[in-house]
Amino acid sequence: MERVSAPGFAVSEILAKGRESAARLHAMLDQQQLPEISTMPHELQDLVEQILHCCDRALAALSGSMGKKRKPERGGPADLPSTTRSKRLRVSGGERGIRVEKKWTMEDGFAWRKYGQKNIHGSKHPRLYFRCSYNDDNGCRARRQVQQSEADPSVYIITYFDEHSCCMGTSLVGNDEKVEKFVINFGSAGIMDGELNGSPSSTCDDDGLVVCEKPDLCNSPEELQGAMDHDEKVEKFVINFGSAGIMDGELNGSPSSTCDDDGLVVCEKPDLCNSPEELQAAMDHEAAELLEQSTPVLEELGMSSPWWQPLAGGCLEWEVGHCENLFYIGESIDIDSLLQ
DNA sequence: CAAATTTGACCCCG
DNA sequence: CGGGGTCAAATTTG
């Protein structure tokens, strides 16, 4: 990883703040928390989407220009002439992706490059094909397909294939739709390099999750508050419920929430794998529980976040802010340390 | 002018 | 053979 220049850092901070505010507004609109403007929620939603999109793009562009540069040409020496296209790679029919439904937006914080569009038999809306923008640089094989829902055109059905190897975000995809592990972490948004908010480190853990740790904020609410007050670098936290992809056989035991060596709160959910409905119900319950437990402490700290609620939807969607597995919240906290 | 998107063609697979 | 995924030239965008 390359270091970020000070001006770049400052700009990214400002952008991240703007984005964060937009995400909050977005969430409030989603939950109709602003009744006085509910007469034109769609226009407002669109505006917020645009703001978020602009921030995403700016951040992606910034992080790209600071650490990476796109290659203009694809393929290189290995690029095949058109006569040898028969050797082109093709997705095997059995490949499975993770399906996520998002309302109003197909944005997920990652930088995607569209490479195709296809009208699908029996579907009103075309299917859009995207690959990671860093495919060229890092050989990142992450892809996604986006299609508007037939039933509700405001819903985008996004199917993810392959994991990001570019470390530009958290792992959302795996080879199985089951989700057995959630990680709550402190760190920068997945769309940014770890260094962008002064995070001491940015690493990929065993599950391929990008972990931007803030272990020094896990010790106590006072310490956390102090850091928030005095460390201007800490302007954004993310609670990340990224799917870790199915791992080998550790699907027993009860749900637990622990702080690991890195100060991450790891909540394992081995018993939520039976069905999307079951998962959703359990996630809702978990969210409500966490919210209930943390609200008094949050209020005490002046950090209450009333928009922090789970949404109904697909098995992976538990949205607060913008991305389906990235929860953009102004002031996230370590639940365990607060409850101590 | 470089990067991103569009879109028709190509190719694989069921 | 047709549907769907990908390629890559052409076009658009910034």
Side-chain angles (χ1 to χ4, degrees):
Chain A
M1 289 255 200
E2 296 163 42
R3 288 285 134 193
V4 171
S5 65
F9 174 80
V11 172
S12 70
E13 263 197 343
I14 294 165
L15 276 171
K17 274 207 155 123
R19 192 199 185 288
E20 179 188 303
S21 300
R24 292 181 83 148
L25 180 57
H26 185 213
M28 291 170 82
L29 287 171
D30 256 357
Q31 294 164 35
Q32 304 286 314
Q33 288 185 3
L34 303 173
E36 64 274 21
I37 55 174
S38 63
T39 50
M40 47 178 188
H42 287 199
E43 287 83 351
L44 288 169
Q45 284 271 7
D46 286 345
L47 276 175
V48 174
E49 301 295 354
Q50 282 179 34
I51 295 168
L52 287 168
H53 184 62
C54 289
C55 291
D56 281 346
R57 291 189 63 174
L59 284 165
L62 200 56
S63 61
S65 67
M66 287 187 285
K68 302 170 169 82
K69 179 119 177 95
R70 276 187 54 82
K71 288 177 188 167
E73 303 295 332
R74 77 178 79 197
D79 208 10
L80 298 170
S82 58
T83 52
T84 60
R85 277 194 201 150
S86 61
K87 292 185 179 176
R88 76 169 54 158
L89 290 175
R90 187 184 168 81
V91 175
S92 69
E95 183 177 15
R96 292 179 63 196
I98 288 187
R99 192 181 121 132
V100 173
E101 293 182 10
K102 289 185 69 65
K103 203 163 174 68
W104 302 120
T105 179
M106 62 176 81
E107 284 298 308
D108 59 6
F110 290 106
W112 298 100
R113 183 174 180 178
K114 188 177 175 185
Y115 67 88
Q117 174 174 327
K118 193 84 176 175
N119 289 320
I120 298 304
H121 185 71
S123 179
K124 270 189 296 188
H125 308 287
R127 182 172 296 165
L128 313 181
Y129 300 89
F130 298 86
R131 62 165 54 98
C132 177
S133 290
Y134 300 92
N135 171 276
D136 290 334
D137 295 326
N138 302 25
C140 180
R141 297 185 60 216
R143 287 168 299 129
R144 71 169 184 172
Q145 297 175 3
V146 178
Q147 191 163 17
Q148 274 180 279
S149 167
E150 291 290 302
D152 182 357
S154 69
V155 172
Y156 293 88
I157 300 166
I158 309 174
T159 310
Y160 293 89
F161 300 93
D162 285 328
E163 295 206 31
H164 283 276
S165 59
C166 55
C167 284
M168 288 301 290
T170 56
S171 166
L172 173 66
V173 296
N175 295 323
D176 199 295
E177 293 180 20
K178 294 175 180 176
V179 179
E180 84 295 2
K181 184 179 181 183
F182 305 97
V183 176
I184 300 177
N185 81 35
F186 290 81
S188 66
I191 55 175
M192 299 190 294
D193 280 334
E195 292 95 335
L196 285 182
N197 67 346
S199 174
S201 64
S202 176
T203 58
C204 282
D205 71 7
D206 292 341
D207 299 328
L209 287 162
V210 175
V211 178
C212 307
E213 299 121 274
K214 283 280 178 195
D216 50 324
L217 302 180
C218 278
N219 298 332
S220 71
E222 290 74 22
E223 210 173 319
L224 177 63
Q225 184 63 46
M228 287 178 154
D229 287 342
H230 300 116
D231 183 356
E232 290 194 353
K233 292 173 182 173
V234 186
E235 86 294 8
K236 184 176 193 175
F237 301 96
V238 172
I239 293 183
N240 173 2
F241 294 92
S243 147
I246 199 80
M247 291 291 124
D248 37 26
E250 297 178 10
L251 298 179
N252 46 22
S254 59
S256 60
S257 177
T258 57
C259 219
D260 70 10
D261 294 343
D262 298 319
L264 294 169
V265 179
V266 179
C267 306
E268 297 192 355
K269 291 242 156 254
D271 55 343
L272 302 179
C273 297
N274 296 331
S275 71
E277 291 74 21
E278 198 175 328
L279 176 61
Q280 181 64 42
M283 288 171 86
D284 288 349
H285 179 254
E286 171 94 351
E289 210 168 60
L290 280 175
L291 187 59
E292 190 182 338
Q293 287 178 339
S294 59
T295 295
V297 194
L298 285 166
E299 283 173 353
E300 196 178 318
L301 293 172
M303 292 161 53
S304 58
S305 47
W307 43 272
W308 191 79
Q309 287 179 19
L311 297 178
C315 66
L316 284 178
E317 189 153 25
W318 200 17
E319 188 165 345
V320 174
H322 183 56
C323 301
E324 67 283 338
N325 72 327
L326 288 176
F327 295 78
Y328 294 95
I329 61 177
E331 291 153 346
S332 153
I333 53 162
D334 181 314
I335 302 297
D336 277 357
S337 66
L338 284 177
L339 295 176
Q340 279 170 6

